[in-house]
Structure formats: C-alpha cells, structure tokens
Amino acid sequence: MPAIRIDLFEGRSPEVKKQLVENITQAVVDTLDCSPDAVDIILNEVPKSHWATGGKLWSEPRE
C-alpha cells in the first residue's frame, strides 16, 4: 500500500485539498495498477512561519 506524504502551506480550502488527493490517488492507481483503497495520502499543513527556503522564512517579505 503506497503512503504519500505532502507538505504544503496551510490555508487551502477543503475543496482544493479534495481535488488534490483525488488527482494524486488516480495517478498512483494508473501508475501502480492498484486499488484506490490501497492509496493513503497524508496532508501536512505547515504555517509559513515554520517553512524556509534559501535561509529565509516564507512568512518574511519576499523580493
């Protein structure tokens, strides 16, 4: 059973997250030839103040 973990910024609507997991599930089913019931997806919503790229928090102003 594949388990997929996705880290993303918090704040997306339930509808957007639903569409995301439906699309990813279908891609896994098509690629691995497995049942949708075998696909687990875990969404980890992270505040921008807890995520940094290039030494800069995403909660800080960007150029």
Side-chain angles (χ1 to χ4, degrees), residues 4 20-30 35-37 39 41:
I4 300 159
L20 175 64
V21 298
E22 288 174 354
N23 290 343
I24 291 171
T25 299
Q26 190 59 53
V28 172
V29 167
D30 293 344
S35 165
D37 293 335
V39 180
I41 299 175

Side-chain angles (χ1 to χ4, degrees), residues 50-62:
H50 294 177
W51 192 314
T53 303
K56 190 169 188 175
L57 292 169
W58 278 95
S59 58
E60 298 174 336
R62 294 247 181 238

Side-chain angles (χ1 to χ4, degrees), residues 31-44:
T31 303
L32 299 181
D33 192 28
C34 65
S35 165
D37 293 335
V39 180
D40 288 332
I41 299 175
I42 300 154
L43 299 178
N44 183 34

